[in-house]
Amino acid sequence: MSTGRVRTKKKACSSDQSPDNLPVRSSGRQVKKKAAEAADDDDEASEKKYRKCEKAGCTATCPVCFASAAERCAKNGYTSRWYHLSCGEHFCNECFDHYYRSHKDGYEKYTAWKRIWTSNGKSEPSPKAFMADQQLPYWVQCTKPECGKWRQLTKEIQLTPQIAKTYRCGMKLNNSTKTEGSDQCSMPEDLRVAEVSDHWWYSMLILPPLLKDSVAAPFLAAYYPDCVGMSPSCTSTNRLPGESNLVKLEHLKTVPNVTVAGMNKYFQPFYQPNECGKALCVRPDVMELDELYEFPEYSRDPTMYLALRNLILALWYTNCKEALTPQKCIHHIIVRGLVRIRCVQEMERILYFMTRKGLINTGILSVSPDQYLLPKEYHNVSCYIFNRIKSSNLLSCILPQVIVLEAKDRIGGRVWDDKTFTGVTVGRGAQIVNGCVNNPMALMCEQLGIKMHKLGEKCDLIQEGGRITDPTIDKRMDFHFNAILDVVSEWRKDKTQHQDVPLGEKIQEIYKAFIQESGIQFSELEEKVLQFHLSNLEYACGSNLSQVSARSWDHNEFFAQFAGDHTLLTVGYSTVIDKLAEGLDIRLNFPVQSIDYSGEEVQVTTADGTVWTTQKVLVTVPLALLQKNAIQFNPPLSEKKIKAINSLGAGVIEKIALQFPYRFWDSKIQGADFFGHVPPNSSQRGLFSVFYDMDPEGKESILMSVVTGDAVTTIKNLDDQQVLQQCMTVLRELFKEQEVPDPVKFFVTRWSSDPWLQMAYSFVKTGGSGEAYDMIAEDIQGKVFFAGEVS
């Protein structure tokens, strides 16, 4: 009896046969039925020649296997299953078996890769991951400006940055020569390339791109490579040695100090596991909020964004002396498959975002007039800037029309170096860099080849009479001083601005309560040492503690800080300022009187009556001038901004520098960078509390000291000779055992009386809040912007 299976096997027969193998005549109905069955069989055979990708939404109607690994590879024919990596990239079931089945030839290669992946990575070492990481062909773009077409390399070619940088259509990569024959650039581009740019293409990608041999690898050895956008199969992404599966680095309490050979030790663009609180630092495995806002398409899987962002940061800090452009980045994107095209396309967006954010392309850069660091829509914007050279330099790299209006007869503002001392530059204003890790000053010093002198930690406290204080007493009082500040921190946790009190008052209250409750009685010397530490606090705040907010005195500690060494910029800040000013249109002696932003454009009027018209204005004048309405705004500043301006204090410190005929302090200080002065009483605690040796090489004989707190008011009505006399009295007390010579040269600063400055740096007044800095920094209608120390 006939069955469907028998008919299928014998579908070529024209008639049935009887059990006796004799021909039987068929009826018309039977003939029609057999014809229909034959047609169905032909359709089934036709379907077996091709099979669609089973991935919903895949546009590949006739997939082609890119692997061609198995002898029976389906190529562009039939396979029982297509494995989808992207729209345009599939491998057949036969090639899957070739690597996945233990009896197949490719199994050993797959298992070797799997061992490496498992030892370094966190994600599953699946066959799809293997194919994407090891078998997909590379794509490279022709570097001819008139071509730019993408070409697929043959399977055996390993892409390198050099190949990507020099490739041209038809190039033979074994000897870097072109093939003979017609111009290869005239050949059409693969149709799959056009699809990569479509918004849906990335959503159809099965696995995110993991870069090979990324420049970021040395920075990120403490992380799983696949968590930061790198392939675990590369030797450059091997994790730190001595690590086991039981104890992963991110669970350790201590973080290794990651240094990259040949790189400035202050360049630390990435957080290490369990690390936090460093300024201008990013988590390499997490997108930040502003990044998610700018690139919401990566919120579900940020791997591609992280891979490119980390690469950009690493390239910038590898060579910060040249502007980083998309063209310099794309050669370092090494990843298999069509996704490399997408990475190259996304690189420009991410690089421009990071430039706007100030993470790259900042500092002192030589940028040609026809080179811009942001897209064209930024190029036709004009801007006036008051008093801020660094802001001007950065904007001039972005905006072609920048003019600086400076009220004084010199640039720099509170940066003012005195170079009249023999062999040494002494800063009348800023000269010490507090915290160098990722500090823009460290970056600019690297760009200029300037060395920063690390200040040592040794600071002997010398009493009047010449005796050096026992270090154990200093440590003990430093402990109590910090304990008092810890109690202040606890007290303020549930306090509102209306419940705020002066920091000095709160410290005194806590100190008295401690003495009463503990029964501890400090010696007279210990009391004086405590006063020294309080004077240091006033130095940090720029004010006596009776004006400073107990609730918000250290508001900046809630934000990321510039960590690391404190350094002395021996060449002076002016070296950097002068370089920043090169090529800028700076108008000296042009104090601004008013800013009118009521119209479409902004009108700026200076003291001589000149009216300047612009699209944007960046105001960087000191807080003291904003508080005194030195500039009239039309419309007036909002009540919110005015309240914020007045809630801050304009702190003042003064300096004195003295040059001597010889270094009388060397034998006592023994190579320390500075020494402290223990005040005889609380009323004199800010009067020359610290002396700095301004020549670390020990050749010149120059000391510099500071006047802080109430002592600023004390010297305000004294002339320079009287201030000098007081300073020399202190020095002769500290070095009473020897002769202290008269100085051959000196200066005393008068920042508080400078009409265009009137201050050093700001602090939060009692009843104020650190939020005031953010309020002041808010722009007005996208026309008037605020920057500087107070924003």
Side-chain angles (χ1 to χ4, degrees), residues 140-159:
V140 65
Q141 191 174 26
C142 179
T143 55
K144 276 189 178 181
E146 64 274 16
C147 179
K149 293 177 182 176
W150 286 92
R151 304 300 187 189
Q152 178 179 308
L153 299 181
T154 55
K155 187 177 176 181
E156 66 274 7
I157 298 296
Q158 296 292 320
L159 183 62

Side-chain angles (χ1 to χ4, degrees), residues 25-94:
R25 187 177 181 181
S26 300
S27 66
R29 183 179 299 174
Q30 288 175 318
V31 171
K32 290 180 181 179
K33 182 178 179 180
K34 292 181 185 297
E37 289 174 347
D40 290 342
D41 291 338
D42 289 339
D43 290 342
E44 184 178 348
S46 177
E47 285 182 7
K48 289 182 179 180
K49 292 180 182 178
Y50 300 101
R51 190 181 188 93
K52 292 182 179 180
C53 175
E54 296 176 2
K55 172 72 174 176
C58 180
T59 57
T61 54
C62 299
V64 178
C65 180
F66 64 79
S68 298
E71 286 187 20
R72 300 184 62 186
C73 173
K75 300 189 184 304
N76 62 345
Y78 174 81
T79 184
S80 59
R81 178 181 177 183
W82 285 108
Y83 292 86
H84 175 103
L85 293 184
S86 75
C87 293
E89 293 172 320
H90 302 79
F91 61 96
C92 65
N93 193 62
E94 286 73 15

Side-chain angles (χ1 to χ4, degrees), residues 315-346:
L315 285 170
W316 166 245
Y317 281 103
T318 300
N319 181 14
C320 62
K321 296 180 181 181
E322 297 179 2
L324 190 61
T325 63
Q327 292 72 27
K328 291 180 180 178
C329 295
I330 59 178
H331 311 312
H332 296 275
I333 301 175
I334 307 298
V335 63
R336 292 179 180 272
L338 288 165
V339 73
R340 181 171 186 269
I341 302 172
R342 185 61 174 249
C343 288
V344 169
Q345 293 169 348
E346 289 294 285

Side-chain angles (χ1 to χ4, degrees), residues 138-439:
Y138 286 105
W139 288 78
V140 65
Q141 191 174 26
C142 179
T143 55
K144 276 189 178 181
E146 64 274 16
C147 179
K149 293 177 182 176
W150 286 92
R151 304 300 187 189
Q152 178 179 308
L153 299 181
T154 55
K155 187 177 176 181
E156 66 274 7
I157 298 296
Q158 296 292 320
L159 183 62
T160 65
Q162 183 60 27
I163 292 176
K165 189 176 182 179
T166 59
Y167 180 81
R168 295 194 172 191
C169 293
M171 179 180 286
K172 287 184 178 179
L173 298 177
N174 55 349
N175 58 11
S176 298
T177 60
K178 288 192 62 180
T179 56
E180 298 179 359
S182 61
D183 180 13
Q184 297 295 310
C185 290
S186 62
M187 300 293 290
E189 191 175 56
D190 193 303
L191 295 177
R192 292 175 292 173
V193 173
E195 291 185 340
V196 176
S197 302
D198 292 337
H199 69 277
W200 52 264
W201 187 91
Y202 184 71
S203 65
M204 296 295 293
L205 194 66
I206 292 297
L207 297 168
L210 298 175
L211 303 187
K212 292 178 175 290
D213 300 319
S214 173
V215 178
F219 293 91
L220 305 177
Y223 289 89
Y224 289 109
D226 43 343
C227 291
V228 292
M230 301 186 301
S231 170
S233 67
C234 296
T235 55
S236 62
T237 56
N238 287 346
R239 303 191 68 202
L240 293 176
E243 204 181 334
S244 69
N245 292 328
L246 297 177
V247 183
K248 293 299 181 183
L249 195 64
E250 51 262 47
H251 297 147
L252 298 179
K253 293 183 179 180
T254 58
V255 180
N257 184 22
V258 176
T259 56
V260 179
M263 186 171 293
N264 191 312
K265 66 178 180 178
Y266 298 133
F267 291 176
Q268 299 176 25
F270 303 106
Y271 282 120
Q272 297 306 305
N274 290 335
E275 195 178 28
C276 62
K278 287 197 303 190
L280 299 180
C281 199
V282 300
R283 282 278 304 275
D285 57 340
V286 175
M287 290 180 70
E288 298 184 348
L289 290 178
D290 57 345
E291 294 175 315
L292 289 168
Y293 180 81
E294 187 79 9
F295 302 93
E297 64 270 30
Y298 294 112
S299 59
R300 179 168 294 182
D301 186 350
T303 306
M304 177 187 283
Y305 178 85
L306 295 174
L308 297 177
R309 179 250 267 162
N310 295 343
L311 174 64
I312 291 170
L313 273 178
L315 285 170
W316 166 245
Y317 281 103
T318 300
N319 181 14
C320 62
K321 296 180 181 181
E322 297 179 2
L324 190 61
T325 63
Q327 292 72 27
K328 291 180 180 178
C329 295
I330 59 178
H331 311 312
H332 296 275
I333 301 175
I334 307 298
V335 63
R336 292 179 180 272
L338 288 165
V339 73
R340 181 171 186 269
I341 302 172
R342 185 61 174 249
C343 288
V344 169
Q345 293 169 348
E346 289 294 285
M347 171 63 74
E348 188 173 60
R349 286 179 63 211
I350 298 173
L351 185 136
Y352 286 154
F353 169 74
M354 295 176 69
T355 298
R356 297 201 321 267
K357 194 175 177 180
L359 291 176
I360 63 169
N361 289 333
T362 185
I364 300 172
L365 294 174
S366 297
V367 181
S368 60
D370 59 344
Q371 181 182 8
Y372 298 109
L373 303 180
L374 286 178
K376 293 181 179 179
E377 56 263 29
Y378 290 83
H379 296 177
N380 296 320
V381 179
S382 60
C383 181
Y384 287 109
I385 300 173
F386 313 141
N387 304 88
R388 191 73 169 183
I389 300 300
K390 183 171 185 289
S391 303
S392 312
N393 179 273
L394 295 178
L395 281 175
S396 68
C397 296
I398 299 171
L399 309 176
Q401 305 171 54
V402 176
I403 296 177
V404 181
L405 302 178
E406 170 60 59
K408 295 178 70 64
D409 59 358
R410 62 172 179 83
I411 63 173
R414 284 163 280 185
V415 170
W416 187 16
D417 290 337
D418 192 320
K419 299 187 178 182
T420 62
F421 288 83
T422 304
V424 173
T425 298
V426 182
R428 291 173 175 260
Q431 191 169 11
I432 294 174
V433 184
N434 294 312
C436 291
V437 173
N438 297 337
N439 194 308

